[in-house]
Coordinates of all heavy atoms in Angstrom, one line a residue:
M1 N 11.4 24.9 -0.3 CA 12.2 24.0 0.7 C 13.0 23.1 -0.1 O 14.2 22.9 0.3 CB 11.2 23.2 1.5 CG 11.8 22.4 2.5 SD 12.6 23.4 3.9 CE 11.9 22.6 5.3
Q2 N 12.6 22.6 -1.2 CA 13.3 21.7 -2.0 C 14.6 22.3 -2.5 O 15.7 21.7 -2.5 CB 12.6 21.2 -3.2 CG 13.4 20.1 -4.0 CD 12.5 19.7 -5.2 OE1 11.4 20.1 -5.4 NE2 13.0 18.7 -6.0
T3 N 14.6 23.5 -2.9 CA 15.8 24.2 -3.5 C 16.8 24.4 -2.3 O 18.0 24.3 -2.5 CB 15.5 25.6 -4.0 OG1 14.9 26.4 -3.1 CG2 14.6 25.5 -5.3
L4 N 16.3 24.7 -1.1 CA 17.3 24.8 0.1 C 17.9 23.4 0.4 O 19.1 23.4 0.7 CB 16.5 25.4 1.2 CG 17.4 25.7 2.5 CD1 18.3 26.8 2.1 CD2 16.5 26.1 3.6
L5 N 17.1 22.4 0.3 CA 17.6 21.0 0.6 C 18.6 20.6 -0.4 O 19.6 19.9 -0.1 CB 16.5 20.1 0.8 CG 15.6 20.2 2.0 CD1 14.4 19.2 2.0 CD2 16.4 20.1 3.3
C6 N 18.4 20.9 -1.7 CA 19.3 20.6 -2.8 C 20.6 21.2 -2.6 O 21.5 20.7 -3.3 CB 18.6 20.9 -4.1 SG 17.2 19.7 -4.5
K7 N 20.7 22.3 -2.0 CA 21.9 23.1 -1.8 C 22.8 22.4 -0.7 O 23.9 23.0 -0.4 CB 21.7 24.5 -1.5 CG 21.1 25.3 -2.7 CD 20.7 26.7 -2.4 CE 21.5 27.4 -1.3 NZ 21.1 28.8 -1.3
R8 N 22.5 21.3 -0.2 CA 23.2 20.7 0.8 C 24.7 20.5 0.4 O 25.0 20.1 -0.7 CB 22.7 19.3 1.1 CG 23.3 18.6 2.3 CD 22.7 17.2 2.5 NE 23.2 16.7 3.8 CZ 22.4 16.5 4.7 NH1 21.2 16.7 4.7 NH2 22.9 16.0 5.9
G9 N 25.6 20.9 1.3 CA 27.0 20.8 1.0 C 27.6 22.3 0.6 O 28.7 22.6 0.8
D10 N 26.7 23.0 -0.1 CA 27.1 24.4 -0.3 C 27.0 25.2 1.0 O 26.4 24.8 1.9 CB 26.1 25.1 -1.4 CG 26.3 24.3 -2.7 OD1 27.3 23.7 -3.0 OD2 25.4 24.5 -3.5
T11 N 27.4 26.4 1.0 CA 27.2 27.2 2.1 C 25.8 27.8 2.2 O 25.3 28.2 1.2 CB 28.2 28.4 2.1 OG1 28.0 29.2 0.9 CG2 29.7 27.9 2.2
C12 N 25.2 27.5 3.3 CA 23.8 28.0 3.4 C 23.7 29.2 4.3 O 24.3 29.2 5.4 CB 23.0 26.9 4.1 SG 21.3 27.3 4.4
T13 N 23.2 30.3 4.0 CA 23.2 31.5 4.7 C 21.9 31.5 5.5 O 20.8 30.9 5.0 CB 23.2 32.8 3.8 OG1 22.2 32.8 2.9 CG2 24.6 32.7 3.0
G14 N 21.8 32.2 6.6 CA 20.7 32.3 7.4 C 19.5 33.0 6.7 O 18.3 32.7 6.9
G15 N 19.9 33.9 5.7 CA 18.9 34.5 5.0 C 18.0 33.7 4.1 O 16.9 33.9 3.9
D16 N 18.7 32.6 3.5 CA 18.0 31.7 2.7 C 16.8 31.0 3.5 O 15.7 30.9 2.9 CB 18.9 30.5 2.1 CG 19.9 31.0 1.2 OD1 19.7 32.2 0.7 OD2 21.0 30.4 1.0
L17 N 17.1 30.6 4.6 CA 16.1 29.8 5.4 C 15.1 30.8 6.0 O 13.9 30.6 6.0 CB 16.8 29.1 6.7 CG 15.9 28.3 7.5 CD1 15.2 27.1 6.7 CD2 16.7 27.7 8.6
K18 N 15.5 32.0 6.4 CA 14.5 32.9 6.8 C 13.6 33.4 5.7 O 12.4 33.5 5.9 CB 15.2 34.2 7.4 CG 15.9 33.8 8.7 CD 16.6 35.0 9.3 CE 17.4 34.6 10.6 NZ 18.1 35.7 11.2
A19 N 14.1 33.6 4.5 CA 13.3 34.0 3.4 C 12.3 32.8 3.1 O 11.1 33.0 2.8 CB 14.1 34.3 2.2
L20 N 12.7 31.6 3.1 CA 11.9 30.4 2.9 C 10.7 30.4 4.0 O 9.6 30.1 3.6 CB 12.7 29.2 2.9 CG 12.0 27.9 2.7 CD1 11.5 27.8 1.2 CD2 12.8 26.7 2.9
L21 N 11.1 30.6 5.2 CA 10.1 30.6 6.3 C 9.0 31.7 6.0 O 7.8 31.4 6.3 CB 10.8 30.7 7.6 CG 11.5 29.3 8.0 CD1 12.2 29.6 9.3 CD2 10.7 28.1 7.9
E22 N 9.5 32.8 5.7 CA 8.5 34.0 5.4 C 7.7 33.6 4.3 O 6.4 33.9 4.4 CB 9.4 35.3 5.2 CG 9.9 35.9 6.4 CD 8.9 36.4 7.4 OE1 7.8 37.0 7.0 OE2 9.2 36.2 8.6
E23 N 8.2 33.1 3.2 CA 7.3 32.7 2.1 C 6.4 31.6 2.5 O 5.2 31.6 2.0 CB 8.2 32.2 1.0 CG 7.5 31.8 -0.2 CD 8.5 31.3 -1.3 OE1 9.7 31.6 -1.4 OE2 8.1 30.3 -2.1
G24 N 6.7 30.7 3.5 CA 5.9 29.6 3.8 C 4.6 30.0 4.6 O 3.7 29.4 4.8
K25 N 4.7 31.2 5.2 CA 3.7 31.7 6.0 C 2.3 32.0 5.2 O 1.2 32.1 5.8 CB 4.0 33.1 6.7 CG 5.0 32.8 7.9 CD 5.4 34.1 8.6 CE 6.4 33.8 9.7 NZ 6.8 35.0 10.4
T26 N 2.5 32.1 3.9 CA 1.3 32.3 3.1 C 0.8 31.0 2.4 O -0.1 31.1 1.6 CB 1.8 33.3 1.9 OG1 2.8 32.7 1.1 CG2 2.2 34.6 2.5
T27 N 1.4 29.9 2.8 CA 0.9 28.6 2.1 C 0.0 27.9 3.2 O -0.2 28.3 4.3 CB 2.2 27.7 1.7 OG1 2.9 27.4 3.0 CG2 3.1 28.5 1.0
L28 N -0.4 26.6 2.7 CA -1.2 25.8 3.6 C -0.5 25.3 4.8 O -1.0 24.9 5.8 CB -1.7 24.6 2.7 CG -2.6 25.0 1.6 CD1 -3.0 23.7 0.8 CD2 -3.9 25.6 2.2
L29 N 0.9 25.3 4.7 CA 1.7 24.8 5.9 C 2.0 25.9 6.9 O 3.0 25.8 7.6 CB 3.0 24.2 5.3 CG 2.8 23.0 4.4 CD1 4.1 22.6 3.8 CD2 2.2 21.9 5.2
S30 N 1.3 26.9 6.9 CA 1.6 28.1 7.7 C 1.6 27.8 9.2 O 2.3 28.4 9.9 CB 0.6 29.3 7.5 OG -0.7 28.8 7.7
R31 N 0.9 26.7 9.6 CA 0.8 26.3 11.0 C 2.1 25.7 11.5 O 2.5 25.6 12.7 CB -0.4 25.4 11.3 CG -1.6 26.3 11.2 CD -2.8 25.4 11.6 NE -2.6 24.1 12.0 CZ -3.6 23.2 12.3 NH1 -4.8 23.5 12.1 NH2 -3.2 21.9 12.7
L32 N 2.9 25.2 10.5 CA 4.2 24.5 10.8 C 5.3 25.5 10.9 O 6.3 25.2 11.6 CB 4.5 23.5 9.6 CG 5.7 22.7 9.6 CD1 5.7 21.8 10.9 CD2 6.0 22.0 8.4
I33 N 5.2 26.7 10.4 CA 6.2 27.7 10.3 C 6.8 28.1 11.8 O 8.0 28.1 11.9 CB 5.9 28.9 9.5 CG1 5.5 28.5 8.2 CG2 6.9 30.0 9.6 CD1 6.6 27.9 7.3
P34 N 5.9 28.3 12.7 CA 6.5 28.7 14.1 C 7.4 27.6 14.6 O 8.4 27.9 15.3 CB 5.2 28.9 14.9 CG 4.2 29.2 14.0 CD 4.5 28.5 12.8
A35 N 7.1 26.3 14.4 CA 8.0 25.3 15.0 C 9.3 25.3 14.2 O 10.4 25.0 14.9 CB 7.3 23.9 14.8
L36 N 9.2 25.5 13.0 CA 10.4 25.5 12.1 C 11.3 26.7 12.5 O 12.5 26.6 12.5 CB 10.2 25.6 10.6 CG 9.5 24.3 10.0 CD1 9.1 24.5 8.6 CD2 10.3 23.1 10.2
E37 N 10.7 27.8 12.8 CA 11.4 29.0 13.2 C 12.2 28.8 14.6 O 13.3 29.3 14.8 CB 10.5 30.3 13.3 CG 10.1 30.7 12.0 CD 9.0 31.9 12.0 OE1 8.4 32.0 13.1 OE2 9.0 32.7 11.1
R38 N 11.5 28.1 15.5 CA 12.2 27.8 16.7 C 13.5 26.9 16.5 O 14.3 27.0 17.3 CB 11.2 27.1 17.7 CG 10.2 27.9 18.3 CD 9.5 27.2 19.4 NE 8.8 26.0 19.1 CZ 7.5 26.0 18.6 NH1 6.8 27.0 18.5 NH2 7.0 24.8 18.3
D39 N 13.3 26.0 15.5 CA 14.4 25.1 15.2 C 15.3 25.5 14.0 O 16.0 24.7 13.5 CB 13.8 23.7 15.0 CG 13.1 23.1 16.1 OD1 13.4 23.4 17.3 OD2 12.2 22.3 16.0
A40 N 15.2 26.7 13.7 CA 16.1 27.2 12.5 C 17.5 26.9 12.7 O 18.1 26.6 11.7 CB 15.8 28.8 12.5
A41 N 18.1 27.1 13.9 CA 19.6 26.8 14.0 C 19.9 25.3 13.7 O 20.8 25.1 13.0 CB 20.0 27.2 15.4
A42 N 19.0 24.4 14.2 CA 19.3 23.1 14.0 C 19.0 22.7 12.5 O 19.8 21.8 12.0 CB 18.3 22.3 14.8
I43 N 18.1 23.3 11.8 CA 17.9 23.0 10.4 C 19.0 23.5 9.6 O 19.5 22.7 8.7 CB 16.5 23.7 10.0 CG1 15.3 23.0 10.8 CG2 16.3 23.7 8.5 CD1 14.1 23.8 10.6
E44 N 19.5 24.6 9.9 CA 20.7 25.2 9.2 C 21.8 24.3 9.3 O 22.6 24.0 8.4 CB 21.0 26.6 9.6 CG 20.0 27.6 9.1 CD 20.4 29.0 9.5 OE1 21.6 29.4 9.6 OE2 19.4 29.9 9.7
A45 N 22.1 23.8 10.6 CA 23.2 22.9 10.9 C 23.1 21.6 10.2 O 24.1 21.2 9.6 CB 23.3 22.8 12.4
S46 N 22.0 21.2 10.0 CA 21.7 19.9 9.3 C 21.9 20.0 7.8 O 22.4 19.0 7.2 CB 20.4 19.2 9.6 OG 19.4 20.1 8.9
L47 N 21.7 21.2 7.3 CA 21.9 21.4 5.8 C 23.4 21.7 5.5 O 23.8 21.3 4.4 CB 21.1 22.5 5.4 CG 19.7 22.3 5.4 CD1 18.9 23.7 5.0 CD2 19.2 21.2 4.5
V48 N 24.2 22.1 6.5 CA 25.6 22.5 6.2 C 26.6 21.3 6.6 O 27.5 21.2 5.8 CB 25.9 23.8 7.0 CG1 27.4 24.2 6.8 CG2 25.0 24.9 6.5
T49 N 26.3 20.7 7.7 CA 27.3 19.7 8.2 C 27.2 18.4 7.4 O 26.1 18.0 6.9 CB 27.1 19.5 9.7 OG1 25.7 18.9 9.8 CG2 27.4 20.6 10.6
P50 N 28.3 17.7 7.2 CA 28.2 16.4 6.4 C 28.0 15.2 7.2 O 27.9 14.2 6.8 CB 29.7 16.5 5.9 CG 30.5 17.1 6.9 CD 29.6 18.2 7.4
W51 N 27.7 15.5 8.6 CA 27.5 14.3 9.4 C 26.1 13.6 9.3 O 25.1 14.3 8.9 CB 27.6 14.8 10.9 CG 28.9 15.4 11.2 CD1 30.1 15.1 10.7 CD2 29.1 16.5 12.1 NE1 31.1 15.9 11.2 CE2 30.5 16.8 12.1 CE3 28.3 17.3 12.9 CZ2 31.0 17.9 12.8 CZ3 28.7 18.3 13.6 CH2 30.1 18.5 13.6
T52 N 26.1 12.4 9.6 CA 24.9 11.6 9.5 C 24.7 10.7 10.7 O 25.7 10.2 11.1 CB 24.7 10.9 8.2 OG1 23.4 10.2 8.2 CG2 25.8 9.9 8.0
T53 N 23.6 10.3 11.1 CA 23.3 9.4 12.2 C 22.9 8.1 11.7 O 22.5 7.3 12.5 CB 22.3 10.0 13.2 OG1 21.1 10.1 12.4 CG2 22.7 11.3 13.8
S54 N 23.0 7.8 10.4 CA 22.5 6.6 9.9 C 23.1 5.4 10.5 O 22.4 4.4 10.8 CB 22.7 6.5 8.4 OG 22.0 7.6 7.7
P55 N 24.5 5.2 10.8 CA 25.0 4.0 11.4 C 24.4 3.8 12.7 O 24.1 2.6 13.1 CB 26.5 4.3 11.5 CG 26.8 5.4 10.4 CD 25.5 6.2 10.4
V56 N 24.2 4.8 13.5 CA 23.7 4.7 14.9 C 22.2 4.2 14.8 O 21.8 3.3 15.5 CB 23.8 6.0 15.7 CG1 23.1 5.9 17.0 CG2 25.3 6.4 15.9
E57 N 21.4 4.8 14.0 CA 20.1 4.4 13.8 C 20.0 2.9 13.2 O 19.0 2.3 13.8 CB 19.3 5.3 12.7 CG 19.2 6.8 13.3 CD 18.7 7.7 12.2 OE1 18.3 7.3 11.1 OE2 18.7 8.9 12.5
G58 N 20.9 2.5 12.4 CA 20.8 1.1 12.1 C 21.0 0.1 13.2 O 20.4 -0.9 13.4
Q59 N 22.0 0.5 14.1 CA 22.2 -0.3 15.3 C 21.0 -0.3 16.3 O 20.7 -1.4 16.8 CB 23.6 0.1 16.0 CG 24.7 -0.2 15.2 CD 25.0 -1.6 15.0 OE1 24.8 -2.5 15.9 NE2 25.5 -2.0 13.8
I60 N 20.5 0.8 16.5 CA 19.3 0.9 17.3 C 18.1 0.1 16.8 O 17.5 -0.6 17.5 CB 18.9 2.4 17.5 CG1 20.0 3.1 18.3 CG2 17.5 2.5 18.2 CD1 19.8 4.6 18.4
S61 N 17.9 0.1 15.5 CA 16.8 -0.6 14.8 C 17.2 -2.2 15.0 O 16.2 -3.0 15.3 CB 16.7 -0.4 13.4 OG 16.3 1.0 13.2
R62 N 18.5 -2.6 14.8 CA 18.8 -4.0 15.1 C 18.6 -4.4 16.5 O 18.0 -5.5 16.7 CB 20.3 -4.1 14.8 CG 20.8 -5.6 14.8 CD 22.2 -5.6 14.5 NE 22.9 -6.7 15.1 CZ 23.5 -6.6 16.3 NH1 23.7 -5.5 16.9 NH2 24.0 -7.7 16.9
L63 N 18.9 -3.6 17.5 CA 18.7 -3.9 18.9 C 17.2 -4.1 19.2 O 16.7 -5.0 19.9 CB 19.3 -3.0 19.8 CG 20.9 -3.0 19.8 CD1 21.4 -1.8 20.6 CD2 21.4 -4.3 20.3
K64 N 16.4 -3.1 18.6 CA 15.0 -3.2 18.9 C 14.3 -4.5 18.4 O 13.5 -5.0 18.9 CB 14.3 -2.0 18.4 CG 14.5 -0.8 19.2 CD 13.8 0.5 18.7 CE 14.0 1.7 19.5 NZ 13.3 2.8 19.0
M65 N 14.8 -4.8 17.1 CA 14.2 -6.0 16.4 C 14.6 -7.3 17.3 O 13.7 -8.1 17.6 CB 14.9 -6.1 15.1 CG 14.3 -7.3 14.2 SD 15.1 -8.9 14.4 CE 16.8 -8.5 14.1
I66 N 15.8 -7.4 17.8 CA 16.2 -8.5 18.7 C 15.4 -8.5 19.9 O 14.8 -9.6 20.3 CB 17.7 -8.4 19.0 CG1 18.6 -8.8 17.7 CG2 18.0 -9.5 20.0 CD1 20.0 -8.5 17.9
K67 N 15.1 -7.4 20.5 CA 14.4 -7.3 21.8 C 13.0 -7.7 21.5 O 12.4 -8.5 22.3 CB 14.5 -5.9 22.3 CG 13.7 -5.6 23.5 CD 13.7 -4.2 23.9 CE 12.7 -3.9 25.0 NZ 12.6 -2.4 25.3
R68 N 12.4 -7.3 20.4 CA 10.9 -7.7 20.1 C 10.8 -9.1 19.8 O 9.9 -9.8 20.2 CB 10.5 -6.9 18.9 CG 10.0 -5.5 19.2 CD 9.2 -4.9 18.1 NE 10.1 -4.7 16.8 CZ 10.7 -3.5 16.5 NH1 10.7 -2.6 17.4 NH2 11.5 -3.5 15.5
T69 N 11.8 -9.8 19.2 CA 11.7 -11.2 18.8 C 11.9 -12.1 20.0 O 11.3 -13.1 20.2 CB 12.7 -11.6 17.8 OG1 13.9 -11.3 18.2 CG2 12.4 -10.9 16.4
M70 N 12.6 -11.5 21.1 CA 12.8 -12.3 22.3 C 11.9 -12.0 23.5 O 12.0 -12.6 24.5 CB 14.3 -12.0 22.7 CG 15.3 -12.6 21.7 SD 16.9 -12.4 22.3 CE 17.0 -13.4 23.7
F71 N 11.0 -11.1 23.2 CA 10.1 -10.7 24.3 C 9.4 -11.8 25.0 O 8.7 -12.7 24.3 CB 9.1 -9.7 23.9 CG 8.1 -9.2 25.0 CD1 8.6 -8.3 25.9 CD2 6.9 -9.7 25.1 CE1 7.8 -7.8 26.9 CE2 6.1 -9.2 26.0 CZ 6.5 -8.2 26.9
G72 N 9.6 -12.0 26.3 CA 8.9 -13.0 27.1 C 9.5 -14.4 26.9 O 9.0 -15.3 27.5
R73 N 10.5 -14.6 26.1 CA 11.0 -15.9 25.8 C 12.3 -16.3 26.6 O 12.5 -17.4 26.8 CB 11.3 -16.1 24.3 CG 10.0 -16.1 23.6 CD 10.3 -16.4 22.1 NE 9.1 -16.2 21.3 CZ 9.0 -15.8 20.1 NH1 10.2 -15.8 19.5 NH2 8.0 -15.7 19.5
A74 N 13.1 -15.3 26.9 CA 14.4 -15.5 27.5 C 14.8 -14.5 28.4 O 14.2 -13.4 28.4 CB 15.4 -15.8 26.4
G75 N 15.9 -14.7 29.1 CA 16.4 -13.7 30.0 C 17.4 -12.8 29.4 O 17.7 -12.9 28.3
F76 N 18.0 -12.0 30.3 CA 19.0 -11.0 29.9 C 20.2 -11.7 29.3 O 20.8 -11.2 28.3 CB 19.3 -10.2 31.0 CG 20.4 -9.1 30.7 CD1 20.0 -8.0 29.9 CD2 21.7 -9.3 31.1 CE1 21.0 -7.1 29.6 CE2 22.7 -8.4 30.8 CZ 22.3 -7.3 30.1
E77 N 20.5 -12.9 29.8 CA 21.9 -13.6 29.3 C 21.7 -13.9 27.8 O 22.6 -13.7 27.1 CB 22.2 -14.8 30.2 CG 22.7 -14.4 31.6 CD 23.8 -13.5 31.6 OE1 24.9 -13.6 30.8 OE2 23.8 -12.5 32.4
L78 N 20.6 -14.4 27.4 CA 20.4 -14.8 26.0 C 20.3 -13.6 25.1 O 21.0 -13.6 24.1 CB 19.2 -15.7 25.9 CG 18.9 -16.2 24.4 CD1 20.0 -17.1 24.0 CD2 17.7 -17.1 24.4
L79 N 19.7 -12.5 25.6 CA 19.7 -11.3 24.9 C 21.1 -10.8 24.8 O 21.4 -10.3 23.6 CB 18.8 -10.3 25.7 CG 18.8 -8.9 25.1 CD1 18.2 -8.9 23.6 CD2 18.0 -7.9 25.9
R80 N 21.9 -10.8 25.7 CA 23.2 -10.4 25.7 C 24.0 -11.1 24.7 O 24.8 -10.6 23.9 CB 23.9 -10.3 27.2 CG 25.3 -9.8 27.1 CD 25.9 -10.1 28.5 NE 27.3 -9.9 28.5 CZ 28.0 -9.0 29.1 NH1 27.4 -8.2 30.0 NH2 29.2 -9.0 29.0
A81 N 23.9 -12.4 24.7 CA 24.6 -13.3 23.7 C 24.2 -13.0 22.3 O 25.1 -12.9 21.5 CB 24.3 -14.8 24.0
R82 N 23.0 -12.6 22.1 CA 22.5 -12.4 20.7 C 23.0 -11.1 20.3 O 23.4 -10.8 19.1 CB 21.0 -12.4 20.6 CG 20.5 -13.9 20.6 CD 19.1 -14.0 20.1 NE 18.9 -13.5 18.8 CZ 17.7 -13.4 18.2 NH1 16.6 -13.7 18.9 NH2 17.6 -13.0 17.0
V83 N 23.1 -10.0 21.1 CA 23.5 -8.7 20.8 C 25.0 -8.6 20.5 O 25.5 -8.0 19.6 CB 23.1 -7.7 21.9 CG1 23.8 -6.4 21.7 CG2 21.6 -7.5 22.0
L84 N 25.8 -9.4 21.4 CA 27.2 -9.4 21.2 C 27.8 -10.4 20.3 O 28.9 -10.5 20.0 CB 27.8 -9.7 22.6 CG 27.6 -8.5 23.7 CD1 28.2 -8.8 25.0 CD2 28.0 -7.2 23.1
Q85 N 26.9 -11.1 19.7 CA 27.1 -12.2 18.7 C 27.9 -11.5 17.5 O 27.4 -10.5 17.0 CB 26.0 -13.0 18.3 CG 26.1 -13.8 17.0 CD 24.7 -14.3 16.6 OE1 23.7 -14.2 17.4 NE2 24.6 -14.9 15.5
P86 N 28.9 -12.1 16.9 CA 29.6 -11.4 15.8 C 28.7 -11.5 14.6 O 28.0 -12.3 14.3 CB 30.8 -12.4 15.5 CG 30.7 -13.5 16.4 CD 29.6 -13.3 17.4
A87 N 28.8 -10.2 13.9 CA 27.9 -10.1 12.8 C 28.2 -10.9 11.6 O 29.2 -11.3 11.3 CB 27.9 -8.5 12.5

């Protein structure tokens, strides 16, 4: 799996992933292989595409933190003011 992940950015062929999953059936992680086979297209796409969701995940984490700190203390207007406050 590590060699396949390290090839990120290179062209990944479907054979690489299929061979890896076949090899994984003989390891201790064999129960995980059927789930990985179902999601093979998504796994291949994540290895080939340069996109990342990191900026979105950061904003979601920030909003959740604000929501947790304000729980039970204030209404929606104060929450809105804190979320829209300039960074």
Side-chain angles (χ1 to χ4, degrees):
M1 183 67 129
Q2 182 179 4
T3 56
L4 188 63
L5 293 175
C6 290
K7 288 175 31 176
R8 187 184 190 112
D10 296 342
T11 56
C12 177
T13 62
D16 291 342
L17 184 60
K18 289 180 183 176
L20 180 68
L21 292 176
E22 282 300 319
E23 182 182 327
K25 289 181 180 179
T26 61
T27 66
L28 294 174
L29 298 175
S30 61
R31 291 182 4 184
L32 178 65
I33 299 301
L36 292 175
E37 287 175 334
R38 283 192 304 270
D39 296 332
I43 294 169
E44 286 181 33
S46 70
L47 293 172
V48 175
T49 58
W51 304 324
T52 179
T53 59
S54 297
V56 175
E57 291 173 9
Q59 290 297 321
I60 290 171
S61 295
R62 179 179 155 268
L63 290 173
K64 286 182 177 181
M65 186 270 309
I66 290 172
K67 180 182 168 188
R68 279 192 295 268
T69 59
M70 294 184 62
F71 181 75
R73 296 186 186 154
F76 180 73
E77 290 303 318
L78 184 57
L79 176 63
R80 180 182 166 123
R82 285 193 64 186
V83 169
L84 297 178
Q85 167 185 350

